[in-house]
C-alpha cells in the first residue's frame, strides 16, 4: 500500500509503530539523509516533542550506523519498513517510532497552543516520568499527526505550539534542526579529524627534533 501511494506521489509520511521493553520512553528512528532533508526529519522529531511531553527527542537516532546495525539474531534494519522504503522511493519522512510498554524516561516541556481559546490540551511543565496508559499513547499518536501538520508551515495548524516555544516560528525551529543535522554529520568524521590532528602534532615534533 505504501508503494502504491508513493508511486502516485501521495505518500508524505510513513510511521511504523513499535513497542519495546529494553528502553523507557517514546522516540523515533529516521534514515541518514543530507542537507535540508536531514534538517526536516529532525524538525519533525522536535515538533513531536513540542506537542506531547512523552516524546523523547534526545533519544531519536538518524545515523547511517543505526540503519545497518544487526540485532541479536543477525538481522539488520535494512529490512525495516523505513529503510526499505527509502531505498525504493528516496522519500525523507519515513520513521520507526518506538514506545516503551512501561514508562517514560523523562518528560518534555510542552508550550501553550496559540489561538485555541483554551480548547487545546494545556501546556505541560512536569518533568517527572510517568507510567504509560492507553491515554498516554493516544496522546503520542495525536502528537505525531499534529507535528506533520506543523511542518507544513504557518497557518496549517491554527492551534500550533511553535509560536509559544523557544523557537518562535517554524523557521527558527528549522535553524535548530539544521545545526543538529550538521552536528550529526560532523560526528562521522571525528575519528579522522582527531587522527589527523595527532599526526600533524607528531610530525611537527619530529621535524623540530631533526632540525628539518
Amino acid at each position: 500500500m505504501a508503494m502504491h501511494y508513493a508511486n502516485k506521489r501521495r505518500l508524505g509520511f510513513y510511521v511504523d509503530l513499535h513497542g519495546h521493553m529494553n528502553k523507557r520512553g517514546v522516540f523515533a528512528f529516521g534514515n541518514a539523509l543530507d542537507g535540508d532533508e536531514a534538517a526536516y526529519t529532525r524538525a519533525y522529531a522536535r515538533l513531536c516533542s513540542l506537542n506531547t511531553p512523552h516524546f523523547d527527542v534526545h533519544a531519536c537516532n538518524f545515523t547511517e550506523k543505526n540503519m545497518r546495525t544487526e540485532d541479536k539474531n543477525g538481522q539488520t534494519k535494512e529490512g525495516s519498513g523505513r529503510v526499505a522504503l527509502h531505498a525504493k522511493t528516496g522519500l525523507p519522512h519515513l520513521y520507526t517510532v518506538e514506545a516503551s510498554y512501561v514508562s517514560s524516561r523523562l518528560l518534555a516541556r510542552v508550550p501553550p497552543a496559540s489561538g485555541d481559546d483554551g480548547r487545546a490540551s494545556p501546556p505541560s511543565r512536569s518533568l517527572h516520568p510517568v507510567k504509560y496508559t492507553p491515554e498516554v499513547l493516544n496522546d503520542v499518536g495525536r502528537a505525531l499527526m499534529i507535528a506533520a501538520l506543523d511542518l507544513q508551515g504557518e497557518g496549517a495548524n491554527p492551534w500550533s505550539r511553535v509560536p509559544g516555544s523557544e523557537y518562535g516560528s517554524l523557521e527558527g525551529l528549522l535553524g535548530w534542526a539544521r545545526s543538529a543535522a550538521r552536528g550529526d554529520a560532523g560526528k562521522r568524521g571525528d575519528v579522522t579529524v582527531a587522527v589527523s590532528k595527532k599526526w600533524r602534532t607528531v610530525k611537527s615534533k619530529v621535524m623540530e627534533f631533526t632540525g628539518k
Side-chain angles (χ1 to χ4, degrees), residues 25 34 36 39 42 52-53 60 98-99 103 106 109 112 123 125 172 176-177:
D34 297 314
D36 269 358
R42 286 156 181 79
T52 177
C60 295
E98 298 278 357
S103 68
L106 50 80
R109 294 188 184 275
R125 299 298 179 190
W176 167 86

Side-chain angles (χ1 to χ4, degrees), residues 16 20 26 49 73 86 103 122 124-125 144 150 167 201 203:
D16 189 7
H20 66 268
V26 181
S49 69
N73 298 318
H86 182 259
S103 68
S124 171
R125 299 298 179 190
L144 297 177
D150 279 328
Y167 309 107
T201 302
K203 184 178 179 180

Side-chain angles (χ1 to χ4, degrees), residues 13 28 33 35-51 55 57 60 62 92-93 95 143-144 146-153 162 165 167 169-181 184:
F13 285 78
L33 307 173
D36 269 358
E37 287 189 341
Y40 270 87
T41 56
R42 286 156 181 79
Y44 175 70
R46 185 66 183 102
L47 286 166
C48 288
S49 69
L50 289 182
N51 284 290
F55 189 91
V57 68
C60 295
F62 300 93
H93 293 294
Y95 305 96
L144 297 177
I146 296 173
L149 197 61
D150 279 328
L151 203 57
Q152 305 311 305
V162 177
S165 72
Y167 309 107
S169 66
L170 179 60
E171 191 53 43
L173 190 146
L174 285 171
W176 167 86
R178 290 185 182 101
S179 178
D184 285 349

Side-chain angles (χ1 to χ4, degrees), residues 192-210 212:
T192 302
V193 171
V195 171
S196 177
K197 286 182 178 178
K198 185 175 181 180
W199 167 244
R200 286 200 299 270
T201 302
V202 171
K203 184 178 179 180
S204 175
K205 295 293 185 183
V206 170
M207 290 179 72
E208 286 180 17
F209 181 76
T210 59
K212 293 183 180 179

